[in-house]
Amino acid sequence: MKLPAIIFLSTVLFAQSAPEVEITAEPHHHLAFENKSVRVFNVEVDPNTETLTHWHHHDYFAITLAPAEIANHVKDKPSVTVKFTEGDTRFTPAPLIHSVRDLGAEPFRNVTIEILEDDSLRNSTPHWDADRGLEVLPNGTKQILFVKDGIRVTEFELQPGGIVPVHHHTGPHLLVAVNDQDVRSDVLGQGPVPGHFKSGDSKWLPGNYSHTITNTGAKPAKFVTLEFP
C-alpha cells in the first residue's frame, strides 16, 4: 500500500475512534458567559479544519456571524453540508453528538447559546403577544423569528440613525451582536447608556425596564435577542 493511502486510512481510523468530548473541552468553543440560565460560547473554526466530536447535553441556539459553508457530522449519521448567511439563527434540541468542518474560505464563526433550564422551559407556556412576524421600524426592521423552549428569538436590523421605539422587558434577555456596531440604549428613568459591540459580543440584560435603542454608528447594526419568560 502506498504511503498516501496509508496516511489517509490512518486518518479515517483515528477519526472513527476519536473520543467524544464535552462542549467545554472542545477547543473551538470558547466560553464567554455563564449564569443559571445559559452558557454562551464563541465558536470559530478555521477553513479546512474540524472540531472534535462533542456533546450538547442542552438545547441550544446558534447565531452565525458571517456567510459560511460547513459539513455537519452527527454521530451515526451521514455528514450533511449546510450553508449559512450572516445572522442565520437556528435551534437544535438536545442531546446531540457531532463535529463540524469548515468547507469555506473564511473562518466559520457563530455564537452558541446553551439553555441550561431547558428541562423546565420545554413545558412552559409563555404568553407572548406574538411568536412570529416582521415589523418596520424607523429606519430599520424587527423580525420575530420563532419561539423555542418558551424563549422568543428576534432579529433587529437598524440603519444609521435607526431606532427601536420604546418597549418593555418583563423578563431577562440576551443580546448578541452579529456585526460591529455602536448603539445607545435610552432607559426610561435612567437616561442614555452608550454601547460598542464587536461581532459575536453578547450581553445578559435584566428584566423589568423600558427603553429605546438607537444605532449611533455610521454602519448598519444587526443583533439578535433571546427573551426569556
Side-chain angles (χ1 to χ4, degrees):
M1 186 180 294
K2 294 183 179 180
L3 183 59
I6 294 173
I7 294 174
F8 175 77
L9 180 59
S10 299
T11 302
V12 171
L13 291 174
F14 175 79
Q16 291 174 343
S17 62
E20 301 151 4
V21 301
E22 295 296 322
I23 188 173
T24 50
E26 206 297 302
H28 299 85
H29 290 70
H30 307 283
L31 182 63
F33 175 78
E34 180 177 8
N35 62 14
K36 69 180 183 65
S37 300
V38 298
R39 285 196 302 191
V40 181
F41 296 89
N42 286 91
V43 181
E44 184 164 342
V45 184
D46 287 333
N48 300 311
T49 62
E50 187 170 356
T51 69
L52 300 179
T53 301
H54 57 280
W55 272 92
H56 290 273
H57 291 288
H58 296 282
D59 297 351
Y60 70 94
F61 299 89
I63 302 169
T64 305
L65 302 176
E69 182 175 356
I70 65 163
N72 184 31
H73 183 203
V74 177
K75 184 180 179 182
D76 299 328
K77 293 184 179 181
S79 182
V80 176
T81 299
V82 185
K83 292 184 178 181
F84 297 97
T85 57
E86 181 188 72
D88 193 320
T89 302
R90 304 190 185 193
F91 172 82
T92 303
L96 177 72
I97 310 172
H98 76 147
S99 64
V100 170
R101 183 174 184 82
D102 183 6
L103 302 177
E106 301 293 334
F108 169 57
R109 299 175 57 236
N110 80 17
V111 178
T112 293
I113 303 137
E114 283 198 323
I115 308 305
L116 300 182
E117 299 173 312
D118 51 353
D119 282 343
S120 60
L121 287 174
R122 285 191 199 106
N123 300 316
S124 65
T125 54
H127 299 288
W128 298 109
D129 55 352
D131 58 12
R132 188 175 291 272
L134 176 66
E135 179 181 350
V136 178
L137 306 174
N139 212 15
T141 58
K142 167 187 174 181
Q143 184 173 7
I144 300 172
L145 302 177
F146 50 77
V147 175
K148 296 290 185 181
D149 285 356
I151 299 164
R152 186 166 68 175
V153 181
T154 306
E155 178 187 86
F156 294 85
E157 290 192 57
L158 296 177
Q159 297 301 313
I163 298 173
V164 182
V166 63
H167 56 285
H168 184 74
H169 293 282
T170 301
H173 67 287
L174 180 75
L175 182 149
V176 177
V178 175
N179 57 4
D180 296 350
Q181 57 193 264
D182 291 289
V183 296
R184 186 185 71 238
S185 173
D186 290 277
V187 181
L188 295 187
Q190 297 182 29
V193 180
H196 173 72
F197 295 91
K198 291 186 176 297
S199 173
D201 284 352
S202 56
K203 187 172 184 178
W204 180 264
L205 297 157
N208 195 30
Y209 71 96
S210 300
H211 71 146
T212 63
I213 301 173
T214 304
N215 179 5
T216 58
K219 298 179 180 180
K222 179 184 284 191
F223 54 92
V224 175
T225 62
L226 278 64
E227 298 176 274
F228 286 71

